[in-house]
Amino acid sequence: MTTSCFHCLEPVPPGFSAQIQFEGQTQPVCCTGCQAVAETILAQGMSDYYKFRTDSAGKVEELVPEQLKELLSYDNADIQQDFVSQQGELQEVLLSVEGISCAACAWLIEKQLLGLKGVARVDVNTSTHRAMILWHPQQCKLSDIIKSLHQIGYKAYPFQADDEAAQKQTVAKAYLRRLGVAGLMTMQVMMFAFAMYFGMFSGMEDNFEQYFRWISLFLASPVILYSAMPFLTNAIKGLRAKQLNMDLPVSLAIFGAYAASCYATVMSVGEVYFESICMFTFLLLLGKYLEFRARLKASEFTANLQKLLPLTARKLLPDGEQKIVAAKSLQLSDQIMIKPGETIPADGVLVSGSTTVDESMMTGEHLPVKKYQTHQVYAGTINHDGVITIEINKVGQNTLLNQIIKLQHNALTKRPKIVEVTDKVAQWFVACLLIFASITAVAWYQIDPPHAFWVTISVLVATCPCALSLAIPTALTCAVATLTRKGILIKESHVLETVPKLTRMAFDKTGTLTEGRFSIESISVLDSSWQESDVMALAVALERYSEHPIAKAFTEQVVSPRKLSDVEVITGSGVKAHFGQQKVAIGKPAWFGNHSSFAQATLFVCDQPVADFYLADKVRNSAPEIISYAQGQGLSCHLLSGDSSNAVKDLALELGLDTYKNACSPQDKQQQVESWSAQQHIVGMVGDGVNDSPVFNSAHLSIAMETGADISKNTADVVLLNSDLKSLQTLHQVARKTKTVIKQNLTLSLCYNGSILPLAAMGLVPPWVAVIGMSASSILVITNSLRLLKL
């Protein structure tokens, strides 16, 4: 009798006798690698992994010197630029992990890595086989993390789109191999079955019929013991983890029928149904493969994004020569030339030339965008008609394209509450199904014993809630992919649930409802001892330290520079500094409480107003349309602005907003949103400035413009990459459509299960029809979700 390895469940080679101790019992292992991994897991107090795992651990291979050298190369800062991003004092990496098969694997990986000094957070996605890890680089190295995973039997490496595509190809080939074996053997078994059914062997001796039964058993065994084996192993692992998964009723049907047919063959009694089992397995695998292909289509968007990057770049050398280099080798401050029609390989600032750029890959807008010197361009976008030179300012994981990919992975990794609810419902459904199947078996055994077994199998298979478990995840995946393609970046998992529930929308003014491109209309000098040119020069010097959109109106002015010291930016108020021995500041007119004005900005010297600046800002073309749409959907629209001028009132009247509030500090905005929330309103906040970050934390849904400050984009739940307010309408429509699709999916799955259950229990659904029905319901749910990709 062959002994299985306790760790990887593979056969132990003859003559190998290594063992481990588990719960007071001696357990065999197949190699020194599995022995070392198992001892590591047990020594670190993680023995529960072996109790609750739902799949075999991968075969452990020893790291050879070349692999160790490759691991150490991951600690190189230059190499890390391709896949490691900085999160404050922490570093973050997305790893592809081979060998993940179930929730127990995720638990084991998280516990192993969180035991390392310096690892702050671990998120494992069992469906994509990826792990997002945050760690302190001073306390722990990336190579230590990967080696730690290898110690417990998981091979890990930085996520790359091409590697993931290869992994999915491997899964697809495994499906096809099992499907091929099932299909080939099913045809052979069906040939003998039809011959016996239609009397082609009539007149032959009984031992010949028994001979054909044995042939059918021989042909059917590879189908059951190879093609159908994943269903059984997954069901057993689920039971070990104290979970009732979808494979349990299917496994009971397949292996129960196989065991009964084997008994009938060996004992020469009763009927055999090898052809039904084989066809059942083939149809089931076919449905699973089609389901896999559909889910693959829904999740391939991010992989396609990464493939937009070119492999090479034209680098300019200090002597003026050009050199073709690998795009991945580009460093900060490198200068590269890009010709018309070429794809930009990295984020950078345009230093010479002018052109138009196709940014549809991130904004969804196909109209070309004009680019001049000092403008930012992004990796993956296409240069249209000019020869340009750019200076690289972001590489690796810091590029906008990789940020989009990473944030989308984060949004899909986090599980919305509704998904958790349906998973629990599915488990209870399986439990109820098993009870109902048992009752059906007992009842039919009293009525018609020969048919009791097959009726029970039909009940188990036909009502398996696979479609229910797929109803929500597939819809959410497709919706997120569609919104990303349209330039709407979803950062949090709750967004698509929250958007249809909104009752109020609050907007910032500058840079949100307006374009944020100010121009100075007039200057009112309040102190006769100051000249207008001196006032302007001092204001320009101060505003160079501000990120507020108003500052751009000053920094574009050509004036002689003024030297400042002790510069300090006060969020929500302005900028202050020392000019020689004098205290100077520019900001809100009411900053120091001794000046009342409708100007957008006031210059102060020694806390006294010296000059008022009146600025003009153009309203976004899409603002009236989105306000009208929101109000038409039953949402009230409100303006919360830090601007103290009459421009706030004028804009509110022009757009027909429900209410407005000017001269708001960040705390004022936050308090207003919190008061609405206390009145049971679901509030969305749209903004772009530094002063919008606090209110974003209080709103149920926060939306930032891509042109806004980095802190607001980091805090927001959604980022509009095209900075177009029309995207809010798209977001609302897609969210509502997603809600509708989810309801349709749930209705389809529940109606199918509810209607097929009594029919199967009454014996009106043959097993092969049950298989088709179960597979068809799953494929129908996925196909319905795929409609979201076409919005």
Side-chain angles (χ1 to χ4, degrees):
M1 180 178 177
T2 304
T3 305
S4 298
C5 173
F6 174 70
H7 177 72
C8 70
L9 303 184
E10 293 190 8
V12 176
F16 190 83
S17 59
Q19 298 174 332
I20 63 162
Q21 294 294 321
F22 177 68
E23 295 186 341
Q25 296 183 356
T26 300
Q27 301 289 351
V29 290
C30 66
C31 63
T32 56
C34 287
Q35 182 182 24
V37 169
E39 288 176 347
T40 299
I41 292 173
L42 297 176
Q44 295 185 13
M46 297 186 291
S47 59
D48 282 351
Y49 165 70
Y50 290 112
K51 297 178 183 178
F52 302 127
R53 62 177 176 173
T54 60
D55 207 343
S56 62
K59 181 79 173 177
V60 179
E61 299 176 357
E62 295 292 332
L63 286 170
V64 297
E66 289 77 8
Q67 292 173 317
L68 290 172
K69 183 182 289 188
E70 182 181 356
L71 286 184
L72 293 175
S73 71
Y74 289 146
D75 298 330
N76 186 299
D78 293 333
I79 294 176
Q80 284 187 356
Q81 288 182 353
D82 286 336
F83 48 80
V84 174
S85 60
Q86 201 72 28
Q87 302 291 333
E89 296 181 354
L90 302 177
Q91 289 185 329
E92 184 179 68
V93 68
L94 181 65
L95 296 179
S96 292
V97 185
E98 293 183 1
I100 294 178
S101 59
C102 60
C105 293
W107 172 84
L108 178 62
I109 290 170
E110 290 174 1
K111 190 160 186 179
Q112 170 78 353
L113 294 185
L114 291 174
L116 291 177
K117 183 180 180 182
V119 175
R121 180 176 175 180
V122 180
D123 291 315
V124 179
N125 188 322
T126 54
S127 61
T128 59
H129 293 193
R130 297 178 203 151
M132 189 78 76
I133 301 165
L134 277 168
W135 80 99
H136 294 271
Q138 293 80 13
Q139 301 177 23
C140 180
K141 296 180 180 178
L142 179 57
S143 59
D144 295 332
I145 293 172
I146 297 177
K147 281 190 284 186
S148 181
L149 286 174
H150 195 276
Q151 288 175 358
I152 55 173
Y154 298 95
K155 183 179 179 182
Y157 42 86
F159 164 74
Q160 298 289 337
D162 291 339
D163 294 334
E164 186 186 48
Q167 184 183 20
K168 288 179 178 177
Q169 286 290 340
T170 302
V171 174
K173 288 178 181 178
Y175 266 116
L176 290 173
R177 282 196 300 270
R178 295 183 187 277
L179 191 59
V181 169
L184 182 64
M185 295 303 177
T186 297
M187 287 190 292
Q188 305 303 316
V189 175
M190 292 293 290
M191 179 177 65
F192 289 105
F194 276 113
M196 286 189 288
Y197 287 157
F198 292 105
M200 294 181 67
F201 298 143
S202 58
M204 286 189 177
E205 297 180 7
D206 291 342
N207 59 341
F208 276 101
E209 183 177 347
Q210 186 65 17
Y211 171 71
F212 287 116
R213 282 190 175 192
W214 280 101
I215 293 179
S216 297
L217 170 60
F218 175 77
L219 293 172
S221 293
V223 179
I224 310 305
L225 302 180
Y226 172 68
S227 297
M229 189 54 66
F231 300 117
L232 179 63
T233 53
N234 289 337
I236 293 173
K237 293 161 191 174
L239 291 174
R240 286 178 179 173
K242 299 179 181 179
Q243 292 184 344
L244 301 177
N245 58 30
M246 311 302 165
D247 291 316
L248 181 56
V250 171
S251 300
L252 287 174
I254 294 176
F255 289 90
Y258 178 68
S261 297
C262 288
Y263 176 82
T265 300
V266 174
M267 303 304 294
S268 300
V269 295
E271 297 293 332
V272 295
Y273 295 93
F274 290 117
E275 75 289 347
S276 298
I277 308 167
C278 291
M279 183 171 65
F280 173 60
T281 303
F282 174 74
L283 292 173
L284 192 63
L285 284 171
L286 180 61
K288 290 286 184 183
Y289 177 69
L290 294 175
E291 175 187 314
F292 167 76
R293 295 295 300 178
R295 296 180 73 175
L296 186 63
K297 182 178 180 181
S299 62
E300 67 186 0
F301 180 72
T302 51
N304 290 341
L305 270 183
Q306 202 140 31
K307 292 176 182 177
L308 293 173
L309 294 177
L311 297 176
T312 60
R314 193 177 290 102
K315 182 178 177 180
L316 297 179
L317 303 178
D319 59 5
E321 295 295 320
Q322 300 178 15
K323 182 182 179 182
I324 303 297
V325 299
K328 287 187 175 182
S329 68
L330 293 173
Q331 304 291 320
L332 293 176
S333 301
D334 282 351
Q335 291 195 355
I336 58 175
M337 177 183 289
I338 303 159
K339 293 183 177 181
E342 293 182 343
T343 301
I344 298 173
D347 291 8
V349 175
L350 200 152
V351 294
S352 71
S354 62
T355 188
T356 56
V357 175
D358 180 0
E359 296 184 344
S360 59
M361 49 72 61
M362 66 178 186
T363 66
E365 177 56 61
H366 290 274
L367 292 176
V369 181
K370 294 182 179 179
K371 298 289 183 179
Y372 303 99
Q373 290 183 26
T374 73
H375 282 192
Q376 178 77 34
V377 293
Y378 302 101
T381 58
I382 300 173
N383 178 29
H384 269 186
D385 50 22
V387 178
I388 57 173
T389 301
I390 68 170
E391 183 175 307
I392 307 300
N393 62 2
K394 290 182 182 179
V395 294
Q397 290 298 302
N398 294 319
T399 62
L400 179 61
L401 183 66
N402 280 319
Q403 289 292 314
I404 293 172
I405 293 171
K406 185 179 73 172
L407 290 171
Q408 190 184 39
H409 283 311
N410 288 343
L412 293 174
T413 299
K414 298 172 184 175
R415 292 161 60 82
K417 292 181 181 178
I418 190 171
V419 175
E420 296 177 358
V421 170
T422 53
D423 285 350
K424 291 180 180 178
V425 169
Q427 287 197 37
W428 280 105
F429 193 95
V430 172
C432 295
L433 168 61
L434 295 175
I435 295 172
F436 187 83
S438 301
I439 295 172
T440 302
V442 172
W444 269 94
Y445 190 78
Q446 304 297 324
I447 301 170
D448 188 354
H451 286 86
F453 185 76
W454 297 105
V455 171
T456 305
I457 286 177
S458 295
V459 171
L460 288 171
V461 175
T463 55
C464 182
C466 297
L468 181 63
S469 65
L470 294 170
I472 298 174
T474 52
L476 294 179
T477 300
C478 294
V480 169
T482 295
L483 290 171
T484 305
R485 191 180 69 246
K486 292 178 176 291
I488 304 168
L489 183 58
I490 305 297
K491 294 174 59 181
E492 297 296 333
S493 59
H494 70 85
V495 170
L496 292 170
E497 287 184 82
T498 305
V499 170
K501 301 176 183 177
L502 290 175
T503 59
R504 293 199 173 193
M505 287 295 295
F507 296 86
D508 178 43
K509 181 179 80 71
T510 306
T512 303
L513 291 177
T514 64
E515 293 183 352
R517 298 175 184 173
F518 287 90
S519 59
I520 299 174
E521 282 194 326
S522 63
I523 304 173
S524 175
V525 179
L526 306 175
D527 188 335
S528 58
S529 64
W530 285 82
Q531 298 294 322
E532 185 174 308
S533 58
D534 295 328
V535 165
M536 178 60 75
L538 192 55
V540 169
L542 284 163
E543 291 288 13
R544 282 176 178 164
Y545 294 92
S546 174
E547 289 189 12
H548 196 282
I550 285 179
K552 294 180 181 179
F554 293 87
T555 55
E556 291 176 354
Q557 303 295 317
V558 180
V559 296
S560 56
R562 296 290 189 271
K563 188 175 181 180
L564 304 176
S565 60
D566 302 325
V567 179
E568 185 178 359
V569 178
I570 309 298
T571 301
S573 297
V575 183
K576 63 181 182 179
H578 279 87
F579 175 55
Q581 300 300 317
Q582 295 178 311
K583 292 192 299 181
V584 294
I586 190 168
K588 289 184 175 182
W591 188 357
F592 296 101
N594 58 356
H595 181 52
S596 177
S597 172
F598 291 115
Q600 278 75 22
T602 299
L603 178 68
F604 299 89
V605 177
C606 298
D607 298 347
Q608 297 300 313
V610 170
D612 282 337
F613 296 88
Y614 294 89
L615 295 89
D617 186 14
K618 184 182 177 183
V619 178
R620 287 187 185 272
N621 293 332
S622 55
E625 182 180 343
I626 193 59
I627 297 299
S628 176
Y629 173 81
Q631 291 174 335
Q633 297 298 316
L635 282 72
S636 59
C637 297
H638 310 267
L639 178 58
L640 300 177
S641 176
D643 190 348
S644 59
S645 70
N646 276 341
V648 177
K649 179 181 178 181
D650 295 340
L651 180 62
L653 293 175
E654 179 183 348
L655 296 178
L657 297 170
D658 294 278
T659 64
Y660 69 91
K661 191 173 182 181
N662 64 351
C664 293
S665 67
Q667 291 72 28
D668 292 336
K669 293 183 179 183
Q670 189 173 18
Q671 289 173 3
Q672 180 63 69
V673 169
E674 288 174 350
S675 70
W676 287 334
S677 299
Q679 300 169 24
Q680 307 304 313
H681 287 288
I682 307 299
V683 185
M685 177 70 198
V686 187
D688 78 322
V690 174
N691 60 341
D692 293 320
S693 180
V695 71
F696 277 1
N697 292 320
S698 298
H700 295 89
L701 180 72
S702 53
I703 303 171
M705 314 293 278
E706 198 279 329
T707 53
D710 288 341
I711 188 171
S712 66
K713 289 184 286 186
N714 292 337
T715 310
D717 300 322
V718 181
V719 178
L720 305 183
L721 296 176
N722 50 19
S723 294
D724 186 353
L725 289 174
K726 284 184 180 179
S727 296
L728 295 176
Q729 181 175 342
T730 302
L731 173 62
H732 188 260
Q733 291 172 341
V734 171
R736 289 184 61 184
K737 184 65 175 177
T738 303
K739 183 179 180 181
T740 301
V741 168
I742 288 175
K743 286 182 177 180
Q744 290 172 346
N745 287 348
L746 292 173
T747 302
L748 284 169
S749 58
L750 292 174
C751 286
Y752 164 75
N753 286 106
S755 59
I756 200 74
L757 185 59
L759 295 176
M762 289 187 291
L764 301 177
V765 181
W768 64 272
V769 174
V771 179
I772 294 175
M774 186 196 70
S775 299
S777 65
S778 297
I779 295 171
L780 186 62
V781 161
I782 295 174
T783 303
N784 190 46
S785 297
L786 290 176
R787 293 190 299 123
L788 292 169
L789 293 175
K790 300 178 181 179
L791 293 178

